[in-house]
Structure formats: structure tokens, C-alpha cells
């Protein structure tokens, strides 16, 4: 069928030229030809103004088809590459477990008590006239702490010392006189013996008539005089002895008086009986204190004794010698270690606890008297393994850890990655081959945990020394996810073939 057109005079009608059909225009009912609006040109020929639009539509359609085809090809090739490469590996940290010492322990609260400490108290009444130290000062034994007003002055003490000197001189003089009298007594005794001999010889001669009676009377008189002199010397010696004894008693009395005055002076000076640290001083300068009043305290914190109350439910395990560790509240690091040295044989009826004590010397951190601390009593120690709390996952009421493992093998005949599918030439497909070390994936492994020890749990079942676990990046893991250990040395040489538990994927 030929397209009809309007003919104009002077222009021949060429039936060999067919008008192209515009697919966007409906066909005429009578001729099934598209409706076209023709306009005449300046020379009278009709002209179709939709030809440029038709070519633009065809070009857009071709570009659209090419874009869709490219997108489909990209999706197909990208999916194949993604299937070949698999999901990206998750970077994780791994840790190899080793055997450690596990503790069966309990924690309590205890109070420290200094074993060396004194409360300074005056031995006499007086007013505080001088304070030599301040709270917190470290003093040595014998250092002055406080001075009180003295009832006796230093001049009284000096007078007492002078009396002592005078009494000592009087005693020495009495002793010297006594010695002189005793020497005279010896001379008089010798003279008396001589007079006795003269009298005996003269008496013999007079009896024989060799001498006259007058000479015998004279010798007898001399003997009587010597005897009287000796008796007087004996009486003088007795008197001098009494005088020397009195002088000694006077000296002793003056010494006692001086000592009393000195003691009064010393009592007014309060000194440190031991070396240590001065505590709070509640007394101020000018206060009047009495004997027995508390002036200050001196404490040594090097040697401390711990008092802790243990519930009676632990009485079967409580015994002396158990290790004890002290920790500050909110910290797990032990600052001092010791052993129980005392377990009370009785129970506190009010609290139903048993008093236990332990001693500590030279702690790593300064401790103070009456300080409250956490006390860890270690009942038993045994070998085992510990895992950090950050490596634990809880699923469905059970406890798991992630361990490095190998991926599941692909199904036989699937032709997937690693299937060993051959190409048409009979050689293995290069895409199925794997380069580098075997892949490592995360595997869930069920474990049974014991008590918490610091920031680590004791492992009762499921793991052994030498096993490797994943300790970081757990939020990005699930069973079978590829992993990339942080360092090659930390990664296991041969990943275990741990399988996930049912319902954990």
C-alpha cells in the first residue's frame, strides 16, 4: 500500500516514494497508515517535521538497552567474584591459654590495728607552755613532745644540788675524823701494851729488891694513863662514827630532794617513748592538763595486725596459716600479703562470726591504723586455666568462646570455590585453586566456667592449656566468619576443627 498525499498543481505525484511509518502514531482506520501532518514547503512540497525526534528516540532506546545490558553483566560478574572471594576477614586478637594457679577464695572486710603505738599522757598536772612537734611529724624515742609548767623551778633544783654538795663534804669530813681517831686509837693501844710490859718487868725487879717501890708506882701510873687515853679514843671513835653516819644520811636526803625536784621537772616534759608518727594533737598551747589526760598519739604503721570477722558457715575451712591478701576498695591488685595467725575458738553471738587475725609487715602502699580494707582469704590453690571476661559469649543460657577453626568443606559437585572443577581442557580450573595459607574462620566452642578471679574466669570444662581463643572483635563474629589474627605468631599453626553447637549460627 502506498501512502496517499495531497498533490499540488505543477508538481508531479511520485508514487515510488513511500512515507516512513511513525510507530508512535496510530494508524488511520481506513488505510492503516499513521497520521501525519504535512506542511508544505516554500516550493509547495510537503515536509515531515518529526524525523529528528524519531532519530533521537531511537538513539535513547539504544543507549538504554546498552546500559541495562552492562548492568546485568556487571552484576553477574561481580556476584561470581564475590562468590569466589567470600566475605572479608574480620581482624581479631587471639590468645594462647597457659596453665595458671587458680584460687578458691572469699572476700571480706577487715580493720588494721597497729602493733606499736602509744597514747601520750602526763604524769603530773600543769599548763602547756610549749609544744615541740606537729601532727604527722616523725619522731625518735626520747624526743620532747610537750612542755608543762613546773611546780619546782630550776633554782630549787640548783639549791638541792648545792645541799648535796655540802652534805657530801660534811660526810667526808666526818669520815676523815673517824679515820684519824682510829689511827690514834691504834697508837694508844700500842702505848698501853708498852706500859703493861714496863709494869710487869718493874714488878719483878721490885719483888726481888732490885728496884724501889716508887718506880713500880710510877710505872703503874703511866699504865693507868695509857689505858684512860685508849678508852677516850674508843669513845671518840664511836662519836665520829655516829657523825659520819649522820652526814651520810643527810647526803642521802639531799639527793632524794634533788631527785624529787628533777623528777618533777622531767614530768613536766613529755617525751616520745617510741619512734613513730605523731597523730592528732587535741591540746593547744596554754591548756591546763591533769595526770592521765591524752596529749597525743605516736603510731608505727610498719607492723600491722588485721582483724577480720569470718562467717560461721566457713568455720570448717578456717584455720591458721591460710594466705590472706589485702586490697583497696575498688581495686583487684593486692597491696599486702600475709597469713592467718589467730583463729578465735569462740563465736560472736551477736554477729555469728569468728574473729581471725593476720599480720602484715612493710606493705607496698602506706597503710594506717584503723584502716578498713578488702580481705581475700585464699582457701585453696590448684593449677588450671583462666580466660578474660571479654572473650566470653552467652547464647541461649549457655557459655561459649570463639576459637580459630577451618571453614566447612563445600558440597561435592557444587563447582564452588575449592571444588577442583576441571575446565574443558581437562586441567583444574584456575578459579577453583587457592593461593596462600588455608583460611581461618571463627568457631563457637562451649565452655563451663568457674568462679571469677579478678577480670578472668576459671575454666572447668571445654578448654585446655595450649588452646587458642579469640579475645577481641566478638561483636562482629559469628560461627564460620573468616577472621584475620592480629599477628602470625598469635595465630594457631593448625586451626582446630571445632564445630558450632546446634542453634548457634
Amino acid at each position: 500500500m502506498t501512502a496517499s498525499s495531497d498533490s499540488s498543481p505543477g508538481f508531479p505525484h511520485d508514487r515510488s516514494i513511500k512515507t516512513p511509518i511513525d510507530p508512535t502514531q496510530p494508524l488511520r482506520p481506513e488505510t492503516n497508515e499513521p497520521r501525519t501532518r504535512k506542511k508544505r514547503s516554500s516550493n509547495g512540497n510537503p515536509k515531515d517535521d518529526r524525523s529528528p525526534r524519531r532519530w533521537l528516540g531511537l538513539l535513547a532506546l539504544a543507549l538504554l538497552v546498552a546500559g541495562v545490558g552492562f548492568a546485568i553483566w556487571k552484576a553477574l560478574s561481580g556476584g561470581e567474584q564475590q562468590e569466589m572471594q567470600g566475605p572479608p576477614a574480620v581482624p581479631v586478637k587471639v590468645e594462647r591459654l597457659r596453665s595458671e594457679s587458680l584460687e578458691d577464695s572469699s572476700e571480706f572486710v577487715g580493720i588494721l590495728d597497729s602493733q606499736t603505738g602509744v597514747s601520750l599522757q602526763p604524769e603530773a598536772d600543769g599548763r602547756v607552755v610549749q609544744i615541740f612537734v606537729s601532727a604527722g611529724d616523725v619522731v625518735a624515742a626520747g624526743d620532747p613532745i610537750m612542755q608543762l609548767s613546773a611546780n619546782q623551778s630550776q633554782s630549787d633544783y640548783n639549791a638541792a644540788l648545792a645541799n648535796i654538795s655540802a652534805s657530801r663534804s660534811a660526810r667526808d669530813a666526818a669520815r676523815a675524823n673517824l679515820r684519824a681517831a682510829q689511827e690514834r686509837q691504834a697508837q694508844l693501844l700500842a702505848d698501853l701494851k708498852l706500859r703493861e710490859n714496863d709494869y710487869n718487868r718493874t714488878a719483878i725487879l721490885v719483888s726481888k729488891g732490885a728496884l724501889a717501890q716508887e718506880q713500880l708506882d710510877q710505872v703503874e701510873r703511866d699504865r693507868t694513863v695509857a689505858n684512860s687515853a685508849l678508852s677516850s679514843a674508843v669513845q671518840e671513835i664511836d662519836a665520829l662514827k655516829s657523825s659520819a653516819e649522820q652526814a651520810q644520811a643527810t647526803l642521802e636526803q639531799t639527793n632524794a630532794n634533788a631527785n624529787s625536784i628533777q623528777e618533777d621537772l622531767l614530768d613536766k616534759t613529755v617525751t616520745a617513748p617510741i619512734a613513730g608518727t605523731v597523730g592528732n594533737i587535741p591540746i593547744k598551747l596554754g591548756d591546763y592538763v591533769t595526770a592521765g589526760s591524752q596529749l597525743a598519739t605516736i603510731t608505727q604503721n610498719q607492723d600491722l595486725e588485721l582483724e577480720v570477722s569470718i562467717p560461721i558457715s566457713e568455720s570448717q575451712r578456717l584455720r591458721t596459716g591460710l594466705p590472706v591478701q589485702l586490697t583497696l576498695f575498688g581495686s583487684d591488685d593486692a597491696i599486702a600479703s600475709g597469713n592467718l595467725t589467730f583463729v578465735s575458738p569462740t563465736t560472736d553471738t551477736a554477729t555469728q562470726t569468728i574473729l581471725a587475725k593476720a599480720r602484715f609487715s612493710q606493705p607496698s602502699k602506706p597503710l594506717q591504723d584503723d584502716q578498713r580494707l578488702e580481705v581475700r582469704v585464699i582457701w585453696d590453690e590448684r593449677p588450671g586455666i583462666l580466660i578474660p571476661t571479654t572473650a566470653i559469649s552467652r547464647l541461649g543460657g549457655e557459655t561459649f568462646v570463639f576459637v580459630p577453626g577451618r571453614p566447612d568443606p563445600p558440597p561435592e559437585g557444587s563447582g564452588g570455590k575449592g571444588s577442583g572443577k576441571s575446565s574443558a581442557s581437562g586441567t583444574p580450573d584456575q578459579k577453583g585453586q587457592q593461593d596462600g595459607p588455608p583460611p581461618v574462620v571463627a568457631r563457637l566452642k562451649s565452655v563451663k566456667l568457674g568462679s571469677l578471679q579478678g577480670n578472668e574466669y576459671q575454666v572447668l570444662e571445654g578448654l585446655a592449656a595450649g588452646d587458642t581463643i579469640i579475645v577481641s572483635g566478638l561483636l562482629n563474629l559469628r560461627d564460620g566468619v573468616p577472621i584475620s589474627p592480629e599477628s602470625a605468631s598469635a595465630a594457631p599453626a593448625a586451626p582446630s576443627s571445632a564445630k558450632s553447637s546446634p542453634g548457634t549460627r
Side-chain angles (χ1 to χ4, degrees):
M1 180 181 297
T2 59
S4 61
S5 61
D6 296 334
S7 300
S8 300
F11 290 90
H13 181 70
D14 189 359
R15 294 183 177 270
S16 63
I17 299 176
K18 297 182 178 181
T19 303
I21 299 176
D22 188 354
T24 61
Q25 298 294 333
L27 297 177
R28 294 180 180 178
E30 65 275 10
T31 61
N32 293 330
E33 291 180 357
R35 295 180 179 177
T36 58
R37 297 182 60 187
K38 297 181 180 179
K39 60 186 296 186
R40 295 184 182 274
S41 60
S42 58
N43 55 4
N45 292 328
K47 182 179 180 181
D48 191 352
D49 59 353
R50 298 187 60 87
S51 296
R53 295 182 180 179
R54 184 168 59 252
W55 288 110
L56 291 176
L58 292 176
L59 179 59
L61 180 60
L63 292 176
L64 178 61
V65 172
V68 172
F70 178 78
I72 295 175
W73 174 81
K74 187 68 176 179
L76 293 176
S77 61
E80 182 181 357
Q81 184 178 4
Q82 180 69 17
E83 181 181 357
M84 293 175 58
Q85 294 180 353
V90 178
V92 296
K93 292 182 181 179
V94 295
E95 179 179 323
R96 189 178 297 276
L97 302 179
R98 63 181 184 273
S99 180
E100 300 184 31
S101 177
L102 304 184
E103 296 179 354
D104 179 12
S105 61
S106 301
E107 293 185 352
F108 309 97
V109 177
I111 301 177
L112 293 176
D113 181 24
S114 175
Q115 293 302 288
T116 306
V118 294
S119 176
L120 298 180
Q121 298 175 347
E123 297 181 1
D125 300 346
R127 191 172 300 279
V128 178
V129 296
Q130 190 173 2
I131 299 177
F132 301 100
V133 297
S134 300
D137 291 349
V138 178
V139 296
D143 288 350
I145 305 298
M146 200 171 297
Q147 179 68 47
L148 306 181
S149 59
N151 295 329
Q152 299 289 340
S153 62
Q154 187 66 34
S155 59
D156 294 336
Y157 181 65
N158 294 335
L161 293 180
N163 292 334
I164 291 176
S165 179
S167 299
R168 186 179 292 111
S169 298
R171 183 202 61 180
D172 294 341
R175 288 180 177 179
N177 294 332
L178 177 61
R179 286 193 298 269
Q182 289 174 346
E183 292 175 357
R184 288 196 301 271
Q185 181 186 15
Q187 293 176 357
L188 292 174
L189 182 61
D191 185 62
L192 178 61
K193 289 182 179 180
L194 179 60
R195 299 301 178 186
E196 287 286 346
N197 293 333
D198 289 344
Y199 177 79
N200 292 333
R201 286 193 301 269
T202 302
I204 293 173
L205 293 175
V206 170
S207 63
K208 292 181 178 180
L211 292 175
Q213 183 66 35
E214 290 84 0
Q215 292 187 355
L216 179 63
D217 295 339
Q218 184 178 359
V219 172
E220 183 179 4
R221 184 191 61 202
D222 294 338
R223 186 186 68 175
T224 303
V225 171
N227 192 13
S228 299
L230 180 60
S231 299
S232 298
V234 171
Q235 293 177 359
E236 182 183 6
I237 289 175
D238 293 338
L240 291 175
K241 283 182 178 180
S242 299
S243 178
E245 292 176 356
Q246 182 65 33
Q248 179 64 30
T250 303
L251 177 61
E252 292 177 355
Q253 182 63 38
T254 54
N255 279 328
N257 294 335
N259 291 335
S260 176
I261 297 174
Q262 184 182 24
E263 286 295 329
D264 183 69
L265 293 175
L266 293 177
D267 289 343
K268 302 303 181 178
T269 303
V270 181
T271 58
I274 62 172
T277 304
V278 179
N280 182 41
I281 302 177
I283 302 300
K284 296 180 178 60
L285 193 66
D287 290 349
Y288 187 85
V289 296
T290 59
S293 302
Q294 181 174 351
L295 303 180
T297 59
I298 298 179
T299 306
Q300 289 183 357
N301 290 327
Q302 287 78 12
D303 297 325
L304 299 170
E305 185 177 68
L306 173 74
E307 295 183 358
V308 56
S309 298
I310 307 297
I312 195 172
S313 58
E314 303 288 354
S315 61
Q316 298 297 327
R317 299 196 291 176
L318 188 61
R319 64 183 185 278
T320 58
L322 288 177
V324 177
Q325 294 180 349
L326 297 183
T327 59
L328 299 176
F329 288 102
S331 174
D332 294 328
D333 298 331
I335 59 176
S337 299
N339 299 90
L340 291 181
T341 57
F342 169 78
V343 176
S344 176
T346 60
T347 303
D348 189 336
T349 57
T351 61
Q352 289 297 296
T353 57
I354 302 174
L355 177 63
K357 296 182 179 181
R359 289 194 175 184
F360 300 89
S361 298
Q362 298 180 351
S364 60
K365 291 186 178 181
L367 299 178
Q368 295 182 348
D369 187 27
D370 293 332
Q371 183 177 358
R372 297 172 66 89
L373 295 169
E374 286 188 355
V375 183
R376 183 184 299 120
V377 179
I378 302 175
W379 308 108
D380 188 21
E381 291 183 311
R382 65 184 184 279
I385 58 175
L386 299 172
I387 60 175
T389 56
T390 56
I392 298 171
S393 299
R394 302 184 186 276
L395 300 172
E398 297 185 11
T399 307
F400 298 88
V401 295
F402 281 101
V403 299
R406 290 186 176 177
D408 295 331
E412 295 183 1
S414 63
K417 180 180 178 181
S419 62
K421 179 181 178 182
S422 300
S423 61
S425 62
T427 60
D429 189 1
Q430 296 298 324
K431 294 183 179 180
Q433 294 179 355
Q434 179 178 342
D435 296 333
V440 182
V441 299
R443 291 298 186 188
L444 277 174
K445 190 170 187 180
S446 177
V447 293
K448 183 178 180 181
L449 303 179
S451 60
L452 184 65
Q453 183 172 322
N455 292 326
E456 297 178 316
Y457 272 105
Q458 302 177 9
V459 178
L460 303 180
E461 296 178 4
L463 294 173
D467 291 348
T468 303
I469 63 172
I470 301 173
V471 296
S472 71
L474 270 63
L475 295 178
N476 300 323
L477 297 182
R478 65 178 185 276
D479 191 75
V481 170
I483 59 173
S484 175
E486 185 180 56
S487 61
S489 60
S496 61
S497 58
K499 298 296 182 180
S500 61
S501 301
T504 59
R505 291 200 175 189

